[in-house]
Amino acid sequence: MTSVVATNQTILVVGGGISGMTAALEAAETGKQVVLVERNPWLGGRTAQLYRYFPKMCHPTCGLEINLRRLKANPRIQVLTLAEVTGISGTKGDYSVTVKLTPRHVNENCTACGDCGKAVSAEIDDAFNYNLGKIKAAYLPHSMAYPQRYVIDRSIVGTPEADKAKAACKYGAIDLEQQEEVVSLKAGAIVWATGWKPYDAEKITPYRYGEFPNVITNVEFERLADPHGPTGGKILRPSDGREAKNVAFIQCAGSRDENHLRHCSRFCCMGSLKQTHYVQEAYGDAGKSTIYYIDIRAIDRFEDFYAKVKANPNVSFIKSKVARISQDKDQNPVLWGVNTEGYKRYSNPHDLVVLAVGMEPSVKGVDIPAEVMADSSGFIMADPANAGIFGAGCATNALDVNRAVQSATAAALRAIQVVNKVARAEA
Amino acid sequence: MSNANEQMAARYKNNFLKEIEEQAEMGEWVKMCMQCGVCSGSCPTNFHPGWDHPPQEIFMMIRAGKREEVLTSNSMWMCTSCYNCYVRCPRKLPITHIMHGIAEYAYRLGVAPKFQPTLHLSQTFWNNCTKTGRVNEVKLTQSLYFKDGFMAGIKKGLEMKDVALGLVKAKRLNIMEALGGGHKCKDIKGIQAMLAKAKELEAKRKAAKAAA
Amino acid sequence: MAAEKKHAAYICSGCGLGERLDIAALEAAAKKEGKMQVVKTHAFLCSAEGVAMIRNDIDNDGVTHVAICACSRRAKTEAFNFPTTAISRGNLREGVIWVRPDTDEARETTQEMAEDYVRMACAEVKAMTQPSGNPNTGMNKTLLVVGGGMSGMTSALEAAKAGYKVVLVEKTGALGGWAAKLYKRVPTREPFKAPQDNGVADLVAQIEADANIKVYLNSTLAKTAGAPGRFKVDIAMESGPTVTEDIGAIVQATGFSLYDANKLPHLGYGKSPHVVDQAGLEELARAANGGVMKRADGKEVKSVVFVQCAGQRDATGEHLSYCSGYCCNTSVKQAMYFKDANPDVDCVVLYTDLRTPGNGEDFYRSAQNKGVIFSKGVVSEVVPGGNACTVKFHDLILDDKAAQIEADLVVLATGVVPNSGVNIDAVPAAPAEATEGAAPVVEEKPISILNLDYRQGPDIPQFKFGFTDSHFICFPYETRRTAIYTAGPVRRPMDIAQAQEDATGAAMKAIQAMENAGLGKAAHPRAGDLSFPTARLEGCTQCKRCTVECPFGAIDEDEKRFPLFNESRCRRCGTCMGACPVRVISFENYSVNTVGAQIKAVNIPDEFSEKPRILILACENDAYPALDMAAMNRNEYSAFVRAIPVRCLGSVNTIWITDALNSGYDGVMLMGCKHGEEYQCHFVKGSELGRYRLSKVGDTLKNMNLEAERVFDLEVAITDIDTLPRKINDYAAKIQEIGMSPFKGF
């Protein structure tokens, strides 16, 4: 049975992406007890799945390393992975929370030696790489996965494959008898940092995502560019593995669209501008990028990043919401539309099309087991009644990483205000 | 002030936009366009010549106060009512309806392009249909086929003869309707009264809108 | 009397170490050269049983120093967690067997590698002391907020709500800042359709009602001295005495100034009263107070044009090159002032990219619905006329280069310049030669905001465009002055909603900094670190390099001109230690000696062995994890390298390099983070300072008659998992090509 030490001065942080980790760390480094709950078997969230950040073109794993080191060094944070909050009752300063724990089937004895992975032959979709490849059913989700422990996928539990994994482990780390369990804990304040999900590109039917292999999404493109990704960092077409040197980026794929997401997702313009660098990095002057856009929203100091990309002769900009995509005989996606600057029609073939899909809050359509105010897009709103549950990061708004971290830092203080009040009352 | 100067002064003023909002069906949506161009790109006719201005450009021209150019444009008449643009518009503009609305307004003003085939068809259809409350297929076809002269009409008729025979066989076409009034609805007067009432209501609505 | 030291080495034979390595030889190395009093091997050291063995030795056998020779220091941290004991980690798994082929030929060199790492771990731990925390702490927990605008008021209130005392200093006679000058603000809540109250009165009332907040109006900071937890701040009041407050941490929320629209004569500003900036329009709106909008001459405005990006996003270098972020929404809001009062007013917004992120899209739609016309175009000129102005622009949609609009009023969206005080890094411009007849140019000197009594200057270092943001993506609050955080538009251009969120976060960081300063703990990125630098002043030559180089301005000079360490300002990067030419600066657990001893512990085979030794000094934040992950992917590299993690490239003292070369190492690889404008160094300037210092090593090489290639500076990112092993191998090949060092065996 997993034991969690928590009182009504504990801060519960739901979501272990960069926002949740930030909120947890800022609170813990201020001396507060924190329980951090993450649904995946690893921490880091969607930022860990990015290759580079704009505007510095630095690597998200660099910051993740620091955050993990802060976490490892801090005894005040208890991390629960493969965990989901299923119930919240009580009020500000005095919540009772139930958390469902899905078995990892690997205990703390695991040394991440990898013997179980070698023993198993069954493969599953590689969720970390947005299912662009396969991994073994006994796996370390990625090189920086924390906890640094393997996972036995539930699909092989009860099959000889799982027995092979168990037999290969010299350290008694594999426990196939682990059952789902529900733990209860107390919390004084809750930070809800469950982040976002990429808008389902299949819903934008004229773009034929899911049907044309060479139409992919921006989050998938990050994995293609990443040396740890399924192609080892090579930008290759999914259809034939050919080098994709002529890449189109379609902005507002889902965003700013009342048929899909009403809001502007904010990060996608900069995301695509950044991804033109990947094309350039991979193919030099032979790599060509075309951005189809309505407005380029390189807000505030990001403008100079935009200016630099604009000055690159290998990147073109077309002010147009692409109407539809067809496919020629070589499976080249062909983009159809009208350049609204001066009304010029185009039907442009590309090697690869990247849909800059927008940000949908993860909480949308999900029952948060408590009263949390959300706007009509599903983003959590600050509650003027100031209950003890606070949104943080992309659960509250379409934010880039920098702003998500600010939001999470602010949320940590709001949570501290509540538990400090509890502490003062109890003193 | 000369006319050109007046026109220039009216540029990017709301005058013409307001006029369209008041006078054209669904014209109040024009201001909501954000110039993404997906309507133009989605239009199946768009990749054929003949359009002066695609919808989003028409909307911008309205906002820019280019009254004469918009109203005399042939663009609204090119619309096939496929509704692709309507479905795709991220601002949910009823573009098909707006285009028809502007077309109708241009027609009402008498500035619609002359010899515009869609306009001709629409007018012919309307006249044909409202006369008896039913469409007289033979007469409608005749007036369309022969609009460019007798020989052209014969030629077109021969081209389409197989279709016509098929329709006759299926009892969807009665050649005898070339003579006389053809089939009609039971209460022609009633239909015409309804149309008159609709016209009256429409005029009232527009007046109210203009006043608002 | 110092407690007796007892050194122990624990060697793990699990994870294949036992199969791949001669464990007995490792034990012997730990005993003999490592001089460990206790040496134990366990088949599964990180197991509960293995850990209990170590724990027992610490608790019952007097072991004080532990060398764990097993996996990387990044692995199994929960198991090997002995907070009161000095620990070193000999990296035999990721550092040796996972990067070496399991072949008979490789066995010998792999074993040598492992034995060296055991000796290094022993040598390191013997040179370490477990730090007990900076004793020179300040316990003050009062937050100083500089600036009484929306950001400052928010920081103050949020900190007070958490139970902290706040001193709020405002330069003018009233709280509210720019926001108080706004008729209304952009909406922050659904339905995002109409401007809302600016919210200033509410915040001011809350501040006045809060007993924890002390407000100084008409006041500035005359001097800020001290360190986190013990700042002494002199507050100068316009009329009245200077007061000194004891402060724990500071939030600087000094906001922005409007870009001077007088620099935009081509847009008519200054030529006609009917061309205003956004602030001017707010004035008109407040005068109208919801009624019809009138211009300066009292005439009702019937048509208005908003010119976006006026003097912004400018590529010519004449005006602001950045976008101010908020102005699109502001123009949307201001157009609504007109439309809400009179829907017949013609409002046109001329933009190139309309930037209304998030739910701003709803606000934009709402303005369109109210009849505001948005047009994509570039304005070339505003020509003031008698009664109306003519705006000439290129309509990009209709491709009309000669488009123009006449309007009663033109509003320029001019953007912001941060109020960040003195740029302490500015290179003073050479005095311009006086041209005959020209009036002497009087450069306006910025006035300091904080007046820091720091050796490195009176204000927070600036980054791009004068903003004080560190521009870290993951850690946006980190300035280069510990416990002084900036918030709001001084940090980056932002709107009120963002500024308030930002101000709350900054208050969080400031509170955290005060708490940790009181406990003698470091702030980010080595949060919680109890080590701190000390100097043997008797050896100090007063060269001042440490005081100049410290990226965080932690070191002042005392009255005898010796370095004066303010431990609470220190971020523990070790740059001072790296800079010190006489090596008098050290941390208890990280010193010239902890690294130097490891360098010396490596066994150097003789010249004829054909086994070169290459020292790698790797940044522990990026390069060392990259090596680790390369190992996890089983990317092999040369058995001739010995890697030592360093806190930052900035902490690398050249003595390590000269010592290594003198003792017969054949090459030295320095692995640090990218520096320069897009720096990736967690200590901002550390890798840059380190690189600059180490670039001088060439002279030393020359003096030693060694090839320049024997020291190789490599920029490494954490993702270089595939490329890094390749580069190591290339370098090893190059060293073999150059030949063995002539210094072996001396």
Side-chain angles (χ1 to χ4, degrees):
Chain A
M1 190 72 193
T2 308
S3 74
V4 181
V5 183
T7 70
N8 59 357
Q9 290 183 40
T10 298
I11 295 168
L12 170 69
V13 178
V14 187
I18 194 155
S19 298
M21 286 183 82
T22 300
L25 286 163
E26 297 304 345
E29 287 177 2
T30 311
K32 307 301 166 195
Q33 290 293 333
V34 177
V35 175
L36 177 59
V37 169
E38 166 58 42
R39 188 180 53 182
N40 284 317
W42 46 278
L43 298 179
R46 293 199 188 275
T47 54
Q49 293 166 283
L50 302 175
Y51 171 41
R52 289 179 188 273
Y53 278 144
F54 57 79
K56 287 175 74 167
M57 301 307 289
C58 53
H59 301 284
T61 41
C62 165
L64 181 60
E65 170 73 13
I66 294 286
N67 279 337
L68 288 177
R69 211 166 62 203
R70 292 166 77 188
L71 190 80
K72 290 173 193 172
N74 203 312
R76 290 194 188 80
I77 306 180
Q78 298 170 80
V79 178
L80 301 175
T81 48
L82 288 162
E84 276 181 86
V85 171
T86 50
I88 298 175
S89 60
T91 52
K92 174 178 172 177
D94 186 23
Y95 291 107
S96 297
V97 182
T98 51
V99 180
K100 184 183 85 182
L101 300 175
T102 305
R104 176 191 283 266
H105 296 296
V106 175
N107 64 29
E108 65 283 355
N109 278 356
C110 176
T111 67
C113 72
D115 286 348
C116 56
K118 279 184 215 142
V120 162
S121 50
E123 291 194 322
I124 54 166
D125 281 340
D126 183 358
F128 183 77
N129 283 318
Y130 289 100
N131 302 340
L132 291 171
K134 296 273 183 191
I135 45 166
K136 293 285 187 68
Y139 65 101
L140 191 64
H142 62 107
S143 332
M144 287 199 47
Y146 180 87
Q148 196 185 25
R149 266 187 234 165
Y150 272 63
V151 184
I152 305 293
D153 192 74
R154 297 189 89 183
S155 64
I156 63 163
V157 174
T159 73
E161 283 288 299
D163 299 334
K164 277 196 250 170
K166 189 175 165 67
C169 181
K170 299 186 191 80
Y171 308 106
I174 295 178
D175 177 0
L176 299 174
E177 307 305 315
Q178 267 181 9
Q179 297 296 318
E180 185 179 295
E181 58 176 314
V182 174
V183 295
S184 307
L185 54 99
K186 300 289 289 176
I190 299 171
V191 174
W192 204 270
T194 47
W196 61 286
K197 53 190 172 191
Y199 185 70
D200 179 3
E202 283 192 33
K203 289 185 185 163
I204 316 164
T205 46
Y207 293 162
R208 316 286 280 272
Y209 174 82
E211 185 185 343
F212 294 166
N214 296 325
V215 176
I216 64 170
T217 64
N218 47 2
V219 290
E220 291 167 347
F221 193 63
E222 289 291 325
R223 301 315 305 147
L224 285 192
D226 194 323
H228 299 162
T231 56
K234 295 194 174 73
I235 298 174
L236 306 175
R237 288 160 39 115
S239 68
D240 51 14
R242 242 183 52 210
E243 293 183 331
K245 293 184 174 171
N246 174 7
V247 181
F249 296 89
I250 299 184
Q251 299 310 112
C252 301
S255 305
R256 299 183 70 185
D257 191 331
E258 295 190 54
N259 303 303
H260 301 284
L261 302 172
R262 245 176 46 242
H263 60 269
C264 157
S265 297
R266 186 196 276 272
F267 79 101
C268 355
C269 279
M270 283 300 291
S272 293
L273 291 172
K274 172 188 75 174
Q275 290 180 341
T276 67
H277 278 270
Y278 299 171
V279 180
Q280 185 87 38
E281 187 184 0
Y283 302 118
D285 282 346
K288 305 286 179 197
S289 300
T290 310
I291 295 187
Y292 297 85
Y293 72 100
I294 305 173
D295 294 285
I296 293 289
R297 294 187 163 173
I299 292 163
D300 67 55
R301 289 170 46 191
F302 293 155
E303 177 68 20
D304 56 338
F305 190 88
Y306 171 38
K308 272 182 217 148
V309 175
K310 222 162 123 185
N312 181 347
N314 296 317
V315 183
S316 350
F317 290 82
I318 296 179
K319 179 173 160 49
S320 169
K321 185 175 174 77
V322 174
R324 66 190 171 90
I325 301 177
S326 64
Q327 189 173 260
D328 70 13
K329 62 178 185 359
D330 300 319
Q331 290 190 299
N332 295 313
V334 181
L335 273 53
W336 298 77
V338 160
N339 181 347
T340 61
E341 282 190 11
Y343 179 45
K344 295 170 200 82
R345 302 167 201 162
Y346 60 79
S347 55
N348 298 340
H350 294 274
D351 295 338
L352 184 70
V353 173
V354 178
L355 304 179
V357 295
M359 200 177 253
E360 194 167 27
S362 285
V363 288
K364 193 175 180 184
V366 175
D367 274 339
I368 300 180
E371 279 205 15
V372 174
M373 283 176 78
D375 68 20
S376 55
S377 299
F379 291 112
I380 293 175
M381 291 166 85
D383 190 341
N386 192 27
I389 304 180
F390 307 97
C394 294
T396 66
N397 207 336
L399 300 172
D400 54 31
V401 174
N402 188 296
R403 288 180 171 88
V405 172
Q406 286 175 42
S407 160
T409 309
L413 180 56
R414 294 181 184 119
I416 286 175
Q417 290 166 354
V418 175
V419 297
N420 276 2
K421 209 173 214 171
V422 173
R424 284 199 297 273
E426 290 183 356
Chain B
M1 226 191 310
S2 76
N3 189 38
N5 278 347
E6 263 172 43
Q7 272 192 13
M8 195 54 99
R11 284 288 150 90
Y12 298 92
K13 295 289 172 66
N14 291 2
N15 313 12
F16 184 43
L17 177 64
K18 278 181 203 145
E19 181 181 339
I20 289 291
E21 287 186 351
E22 284 158 13
Q23 298 296 333
E25 184 95 33
M26 300 281 178
E28 68 275 18
W29 281 92
V30 169
K31 64 194 174 201
M32 298 306 292
C33 169
M34 67 164 164
Q35 294 297 315
C36 73
V38 81
C39 48
S40 315
S42 309
C43 180
T45 69
N46 186 33
F47 289 87
H48 303 288
W51 279 71
D52 291 339
H53 315 284
Q56 120 277 334
E57 193 180 17
I58 287 278
F59 301 156
M60 197 62 237
M61 288 161 68
I62 291 170
R63 281 141 57 159
K66 301 197 168 186
R67 186 174 188 276
E68 201 183 317
E69 281 172 66
V70 169
L71 292 174
T72 58
S73 168
N74 72 358
S75 298
M76 299 82 79
W77 302 100
M78 301 299 286
C79 173
T80 63
S81 309
C82 76
Y83 285 82
N84 263 356
C85 53
Y86 192 153
V87 170
R88 290 302 310 287
C89 177
R91 289 298 186 74
K92 290 198 165 169
L93 267 68
I95 297 168
T96 313
H97 297 175
I98 302 170
M99 295 304 271
H100 294 334
I102 300 168
E104 187 269 344
Y105 179 52
Y107 168 71
R108 224 176 332 129
L109 291 175
V111 294
K114 301 275 179 297
F115 313 113
Q116 214 295 328
T118 316
L119 172 54
H120 179 78
L121 167 70
S122 307
Q123 187 62 64
T124 310
F125 182 88
W126 179 258
N127 293 345
N128 180 309
C129 173
T130 53
K131 203 169 174 185
T132 64
R134 289 281 176 95
V135 173
N136 182 326
E137 286 88 354
V138 179
K139 284 193 170 167
L140 179 67
T141 314
Q142 270 176 358
S143 59
L144 288 176
Y145 284 11
F146 289 91
K147 84 176 165 57
D148 295 329
F150 184 73
M151 285 313 289
I154 296 290
K155 204 176 155 211
K156 187 85 187 158
L158 286 171
E159 265 173 34
M160 297 298 285
K161 70 175 195 309
D162 291 347
V163 175
L165 282 172
L167 286 168
V168 170
K169 269 187 198 159
K171 297 195 169 159
R172 307 305 304 165
L173 190 71
N174 182 357
I175 311 230
M176 296 318 287
E177 290 207 336
L179 316 162
H183 64 305
K184 50 189 80 153
C185 74
K186 281 178 195 155
D187 182 7
I188 299 179
K189 273 196 180 142
I191 284 278
Q192 280 164 352
M194 275 164 67
L195 289 171
K197 185 70 185 172
K199 229 175 198 170
E200 185 194 319
L201 288 172
E202 175 72 3
K204 229 185 230 170
R205 192 180 64 85
K206 282 189 176 129
K209 219 163 141 187
Chain C
M1 197 188 85
E4 200 161 313
K5 288 180 183 173
K6 187 164 185 178
H7 302 117
Y10 298 91
I11 299 167
C12 182
S13 62
C15 285
L17 292 168
E19 291 86 53
R20 299 279 306 276
L21 301 170
D22 177 354
I23 299 288
L26 299 183
E27 286 179 342
K31 263 184 213 138
K32 197 174 152 230
E33 294 108 323
K35 296 193 173 65
M36 295 283 112
Q37 287 134 291
V38 179
V39 177
K40 291 183 182 175
T41 296
H42 194 281
F44 181 14
L45 190 60
C46 61
S47 64
E49 190 193 275
V51 171
M53 173 179 81
I54 303 173
R55 179 90 265 162
N56 185 53
D57 287 356
I58 294 168
D59 292 346
N60 303 316
D61 196 26
V63 167
T64 55
H65 288 63
V66 170
I68 292 169
C69 303
C71 45
S72 161
R73 69 210 307 246
R74 293 172 67 254
K76 285 292 177 186
T77 49
E78 300 89 344
F80 300 128
N81 177 25
F82 309 103
T84 56
T85 310
I87 303 280
S88 69
R89 299 279 299 259
N91 187 357
L92 304 181
R93 189 176 74 163
E94 288 87 339
V96 182
I97 63 164
W98 280 4
V99 293
R100 299 299 307 145
D102 186 7
T103 59
D104 285 342
E105 306 86 78
R107 213 169 166 84
E108 182 184 315
T109 51
T110 304
Q111 177 70 20
E112 286 171 3
M113 209 177 183
E115 286 176 27
D116 274 344
Y117 278 121
V118 168
R119 284 187 280 263
M120 289 158 77
C122 297
E124 184 189 13
V125 81
K126 281 168 69 185
M128 282 168 69
T129 310
Q130 190 60 359
S132 50
N134 155 35
N136 190 15
T137 54
M139 305 301 284
N140 195 289
K141 301 279 170 68
T142 301
L143 175 69
L144 169 68
V145 178
V146 188
M150 285 307 254
S151 310
M153 289 196 290
T154 304
S155 279
L157 279 168
E158 296 295 331
K161 274 190 218 162
Y164 291 84
K165 290 209 177 315
V166 179
V167 170
L168 176 58
V169 175
E170 163 58 36
K171 180 176 64 174
T172 70
L175 296 175
W178 272 108
K181 300 180 184 181
L182 304 182
Y183 169 54
K184 291 201 171 186
R185 66 182 271 199
V186 171
T188 53
R189 296 182 80 81
E190 232 168 20
F192 305 103
K193 280 193 172 154
Q196 68 183 41
D197 185 82
N198 69 23
V200 170
D202 175 47
L203 285 192
V204 172
Q206 284 185 53
I207 285 188
E208 284 170 352
D210 199 318
N212 274 331
I213 306 175
K214 193 198 273 185
V215 180
Y216 289 92
L217 295 176
N218 295 311
S219 301
T220 53
L221 306 191
K223 188 169 123 183
T224 302
R230 53 177 182 82
F231 286 114
K232 288 220 176 282
V233 180
D234 295 347
I235 299 166
M237 292 184 271
E238 203 173 63
S239 50
T242 293
V243 184
T244 303
E245 290 276 2
D246 289 312
I247 295 297
I250 300 169
V251 170
Q252 179 183 336
T254 42
F256 62 92
S257 303
L258 289 175
Y259 184 68
D260 183 2
N262 286 308
K263 293 181 184 165
L264 305 168
H266 67 291
L267 297 181
Y269 195 89
K271 289 185 188 164
S272 162
H274 310 316
V275 178
V276 297
D277 61 7
Q278 287 183 328
L281 197 273
E282 291 294 336
E283 259 177 62
L284 297 180
R286 273 186 298 130
N289 196 24
V292 291
M293 298 282 292
K294 291 176 182 162
R295 350 185 266 204
D297 61 2
K299 180 179 179 281
E300 186 184 341
V301 177
K302 289 281 176 60
S303 56
V304 56
V305 173
F306 294 86
V307 179
Q308 297 309 107
C309 308
Q312 304 190 63
R313 301 178 64 194
D314 175 63
T316 65
E318 224 176 301
H319 304 293
L320 304 179
S321 62
Y322 52 87
C323 150
S324 291
Y326 70 89
C327 352
C328 280
N329 269 324
T330 297
S331 289
V332 167
K333 174 193 75 173
Q334 294 185 336
M336 285 187 188
Y337 292 164
F338 291 94
K339 284 289 186 187
D340 288 347
N342 175 10
D344 285 336
V345 176
D346 295 329
C347 296
V348 179
V349 178
L350 295 176
Y351 69 95
T352 50
D353 292 284
L354 203 75
R355 293 178 168 174
T356 54
N359 292 312
E361 202 61 19
D362 279 348
F363 195 44
Y364 170 29
R365 268 192 287 263
S366 171
Q368 285 183 299
N369 199 33
K370 288 175 180 180
V372 180
I373 291 180
F374 291 84
S375 208
K376 178 160 174 142
V378 179
V379 177
S380 53
E381 195 185 359
V382 176
V383 185
N387 207 12
C389 301
T390 306
V391 181
K392 297 187 171 179
F393 68 107
H394 176 187
D395 185 323
L396 291 165
I397 297 293
L398 301 178
D399 199 16
D400 179 358
K401 292 192 173 70
Q404 58 181 56
I405 315 178
E406 280 185 22
D408 295 341
L409 187 71
V410 175
V411 185
L412 308 179
T414 51
V416 294
V417 181
N419 293 338
S420 41
V422 177
N423 180 6
I424 62 168
D425 296 319
V427 186
E433 277 186 43
T435 20
E436 220 172 309
V441 183
V442 183
E443 267 294 307
E444 209 179 311
K445 215 180 158 200
I447 297 162
S448 172
I449 286 166
L450 297 172
N451 277 305
L452 288 167
D453 190 24
Y454 285 20
R455 191 208 182 277
Q456 290 188 11
D459 279 303
I460 296 232
Q462 300 170 11
F463 293 84
K464 262 188 184 171
F465 315 126
F467 291 95
T468 54
D469 179 5
S470 72
H471 214 265
F472 256 114
I473 295 135
C474 308
F475 310 109
Y477 288 106
E478 299 313 319
T479 64
R480 283 169 50 202
R481 293 296 176 261
T482 306
I484 307 177
Y485 297 93
T486 56
V490 69
R491 217 161 70 70
R492 75 189 281 178
M494 57 178 87
D495 61 21
I496 296 175
Q498 279 181 69
Q500 291 196 277
E501 191 80 351
D502 192 34
T504 309
M508 168 76 258
K509 293 299 297 183
I511 287 169
Q512 186 186 72
M514 294 193 281
E515 292 292 343
N516 286 318
L519 298 169
K521 289 182 178 176
H524 188 89
R526 297 186 59 85
D529 186 357
L530 288 167
S531 73
F532 57 92
T534 52
R536 279 186 300 108
L537 292 184
E538 59 275 22
C540 171
T541 59
Q542 301 190 330
C543 75
K544 297 186 176 51
R545 279 185 211 164
C546 57
T547 59
V548 171
E549 286 199 15
C550 174
F552 302 99
I555 314 172
D556 293 330
E557 276 154 37
D558 68 13
E559 57 282 4
K560 291 182 199 145
R561 314 191 71 185
F562 281 113
L564 178 65
F565 287 82
N566 292 277
E567 296 84 355
S568 307
R569 292 191 211 156
C570 168
R571 304 282 259 277
R572 282 73 167 170
C573 60
T575 297
C576 52
M577 179 174 111
C580 183
V582 289
R583 302 177 295 283
V584 300
I585 302 173
S586 62
F587 297 78
E588 286 165 298
N589 55 357
Y590 182 60
S591 63
V592 170
N593 201 18
T594 58
V595 176
Q598 292 182 70
I599 293 171
K600 288 194 192 86
V602 171
N603 188 21
I604 308 284
D606 67 34
E607 211 174 327
F608 312 103
S609 65
E610 291 188 22
K611 287 176 181 170
R613 288 293 176 257
I614 296 164
L615 175 66
I616 294 179
L617 295 171
C619 161
E620 66 176 8
N621 303 307
D622 290 75
Y624 200 75
L627 287 170
D628 247 20
M629 288 188 277
M632 289 167 72
N633 288 2
R634 307 300 195 271
N635 292 340
E636 292 168 4
Y637 57 78
S638 166
F640 301 136
V641 300
R642 303 290 180 262
I644 299 176
V646 294
R647 286 188 182 181
C648 175
L649 199 60
S651 73
V652 172
N653 195 297
T654 42
I655 192 72
W656 294 337
I657 297 165
T658 46
D659 276 1
L661 294 171
N662 268 318
S663 57
Y665 280 84
D666 302 281
V668 179
M669 287 184 95
L670 302 163
M671 297 182 180
C673 302
K674 185 175 182 161
H675 71 279
E677 197 178 317
E678 305 295 352
Y679 67 88
Q680 291 173 20
C681 174
H682 286 278
F683 298 104
V684 186
K685 288 276 176 198
S687 66
E688 183 175 330
L689 292 163
R691 285 223 162 82
Y692 179 74
R693 188 189 308 141
L694 300 166
S695 68
K696 310 274 183 214
V697 108
D699 296 340
T700 315
L701 288 168
K702 217 176 258 170
N703 290 339
M704 293 172 77
N705 240 340
L706 285 175
E707 297 79 359
E709 292 91 336
R710 294 220 185 255
V711 178
F712 181 35
D713 173 11
L714 185 61
E715 184 182 291
V716 176
I718 194 164
T719 46
D720 293 346
I721 295 169
D722 292 328
T723 50
L724 191 52
R726 266 209 306 280
K727 286 177 183 168
I728 291 174
N729 290 339
D730 290 349
Y731 184 63
K734 166 154 257 173
I735 288 296
Q736 274 175 314
E737 201 179 292
I738 298 170
M740 304 291 270
S741 160
F743 281 85
K744 289 180 196 284
F746 286 99

